[in-house]
Amino acid sequence: MVGGVVTKVGSLDSNKTGSWRSFRPVIDREKCIGCGLCKKFCPDVCIEIKDKKAEVDYDYCKGCLICKSVCPVQAISSEEEEK
Amino acid sequence: MSSEVISSGHSACAGCGEIIGERMVLEALGKDVIVCQATGCMEITTTPYPRTAFKVPWLHVTFENAASAASGIVEADRKLGRNTTVVAIGGDGGMMDIGVRALSGVMERGHDLMLVVTDNEAYMNTGIQRSSGTPKYAATTTTPAGSVVPGKREWKKSISRIAIAHGIPYVATASIGFPEDLVAKVKKAQGIKGPKLLHIYTPCPVGWGYDSSKTVYYAKKIVETGLWPLYEIENGKLTISQRPTFAPLEEYFTGQKRYKHIKPEHIKEVSERVKAGWKELEKQEKAGVDLMLLP
């Protein structure tokens, strides 16, 4: 007896949580050293390291700014989102 | 975007520490895994039927029986000659309170599975009610701080000590603030036969009332103060993973609304307990006592 079965793995990615955000993390590509600490701690798995630079997927980023607080070279700043 | 084990789009709160812990554990275990999840934040935020954020086989039954369900899977796997890692994972509510009988049962029966407690120190999913994992003096909706009673009156329960009392081969504590240590412990546990338990500290910005960007700050700070010792107990032998600098407890309490009412005498009491606790830990490590043999 099985209650409910979900067969499509990772299907919750249709839920775009970027609309939750009040503050947007902005990455300074000049300062970023691509260490990946922000990616390691991102609760929303929405940071990738591409060409040794961090990139945020704003479709999902909820704007918690953990990335900003763990960045060892202060390469991440934040901007208030406009309505 | 997503990781190998979990996709974006889950509805865990901004700055959630528990989902960071859950992902770190599952990424360390690899794809050949079956996850049994207790009811709690990690169930409702990842799997609103008929969708899921998980990319690995995942099962939710009820609040209390994640560990029992996992033990059934382990035994079925064994019969089929499979060698999949089975992990039962739940919060402090699901593993330390409501699911503690199932947890105790699988440890006593000796099933070959991983037990993971992602501890955010209260029932956050239902609205911040106290659990046996809530620390002394923390305010929750069921232990409010007033002029007479300063939050929760009881000390936090030690699930790792309860686990080792079952004589299981591996017990460890970890914090998401120290991911290398956490991942090393998960991988070590995966290679050990029998029940093994990991108790992971996962801060909760909403339940504790702090700014969402400070999740990792608190996950590191609690270890530095000595309030959350990082250790492992392998075959009864205790090894301390990291010695704290005994940073002032104020650095940890400040900025959390649940401790807004805390007074110097409370901090002194907690601080004395931390020091006494560490003395005992170091004594046990040095003496090499077999903790499994303690009656």
Side-chain angles (χ1 to χ4, degrees):
Chain A
M1 175 66 194
V2 176
V5 181
V6 182
T7 49
K8 197 163 177 286
V9 295
S11 48
L12 200 56
D13 61 4
S14 57
N15 186 29
K16 300 278 165 67
T17 50
S19 61
W20 295 22
R21 193 170 57 243
S22 319
F23 288 90
R24 157 188 292 253
V26 180
I27 292 165
D28 184 337
R29 292 182 62 88
E30 296 291 302
K31 285 190 192 164
C32 177
I33 53 168
C35 69
L37 257 191
C38 50
K39 177 186 160 120
K40 191 175 268 181
F41 287 115
C42 177
D44 297 302
V45 279
C46 64
I47 300 180
E48 283 293 335
I49 309 295
K50 286 182 189 156
D51 302 325
K52 294 186 177 163
K53 302 286 169 192
E55 265 179 40
V56 180
D57 185 342
Y58 294 109
D59 279 350
Y60 297 106
C61 169
K62 293 169 188 158
C64 69
L65 301 180
I66 286 180
C67 51
K68 183 184 168 186
S69 76
V70 299
C71 180
V73 293
Q74 284 81 46
I76 306 178
S77 57
S78 56
E79 282 173 11
E80 195 165 355
E81 289 284 355
E82 287 168 27
K83 274 197 177 170
Chain B
M1 269 182 209
S2 61
S3 85
E4 285 282 294
V5 293
I6 195 165
S7 75
S8 301
H10 61 74
S11 57
C13 305
C16 174
E18 194 173 6
I19 196 113
I20 300 176
E22 178 121 0
R23 173 170 54 82
M24 283 176 177
V25 169
L26 296 186
E27 280 178 351
L29 289 176
K31 292 283 261 184
D32 190 16
V33 71
I34 297 176
V35 184
C36 292
Q37 181 89 49
T39 301
C41 292
M42 289 305 98
E43 173 240 334
I44 57 142
T45 61
T46 58
T47 311
Y49 187 75
R51 291 183 294 170
T52 182
F54 285 105
K55 295 180 167 183
V56 289
W58 181 91
L59 172 77
H60 166 252
V61 188
T62 64
F63 215 139
E64 61 270 35
N65 70 356
S68 323
S71 73
I73 294 171
V74 167
E75 294 315 312
D77 263 0
R78 197 162 56 93
K79 202 84 185 156
L80 295 168
R82 287 187 196 145
N83 206 15
T84 305
T85 300
V86 180
V87 50
I89 184 164
D92 45 307
M95 294 305 229
M96 288 164 71
D97 285 1
I98 296 174
V100 78
R101 287 197 303 190
L103 192 77
S104 174
V106 303
M107 289 193 287
E108 189 269 332
R109 293 195 300 272
H111 299 285
D112 183 21
L113 52 74
M114 298 261 302
L115 302 158
V116 180
V117 186
T118 48
D119 190 354
N120 56 16
E121 306 195 316
Y123 288 86
M124 300 314 184
N125 168 33
T126 49
I128 320 158
Q129 290 85 9
R130 62 90 87 188
S131 76
S132 59
T134 306
K136 195 169 183 179
Y137 298 124
T140 66
T141 51
T142 47
T143 56
S147 54
V148 181
V149 181
K152 193 188 170 189
R153 285 185 273 198
E154 301 79 21
W155 294 105
K156 183 185 179 80
K157 176 163 99 183
S158 171
I159 194 69
S160 53
R161 294 288 163 162
I162 292 169
I164 200 62
H166 288 76
I168 65 173
Y170 189 76
V171 176
T173 61
S175 163
I176 59 156
F178 296 87
E180 287 78 14
D181 175 70
L182 189 156
V183 167
K185 284 169 176 165
V186 173
K187 290 199 164 150
K188 186 189 245 183
Q190 194 177 19
I192 294 170
K193 263 226 155 328
K196 42 258 165 186
L197 182 134
L198 264 120
H199 188 197
I200 305 176
Y201 179 75
T202 60
C204 170
V206 176
W208 303 1
Y210 65 82
D211 184 87
S212 64
S213 68
K214 297 189 84 177
T215 295
V216 177
Y217 168 85
Y218 287 116
K220 282 184 196 291
K221 192 52 84 178
I222 194 168
V223 173
E224 289 166 13
T225 60
L227 200 51
W228 188 276
L230 296 183
Y231 58 78
E232 45 187 358
I233 306 171
E234 211 179 335
N235 295 318
K237 295 278 186 297
L238 182 132
T239 316
I240 294 166
S241 317
Q242 184 167 329
R243 262 155 247 277
T245 53
F246 294 107
L249 283 167
E250 286 84 349
E251 290 178 15
Y252 172 70
F253 290 135
T254 312
Q256 297 189 47
K257 274 204 193 99
R258 62 174 180 160
Y259 288 125
K260 205 172 65 184
H261 57 280
I262 203 163
K263 294 205 167 64
E265 67 254 34
H266 304 142
I267 297 179
K268 191 166 170 264
E269 186 193 348
V270 176
S271 163
E272 274 162 13
R273 190 175 153 101
V274 167
K275 287 209 180 91
W278 266 95
K279 220 180 226 170
E280 198 54 42
L281 263 185
E282 294 195 317
K283 210 163 80 189
Q284 287 185 351
E285 185 191 39
K286 206 171 159 206
V289 217
D290 186 347
L291 293 171
M292 295 203 292
L293 284 181
L294 288 183

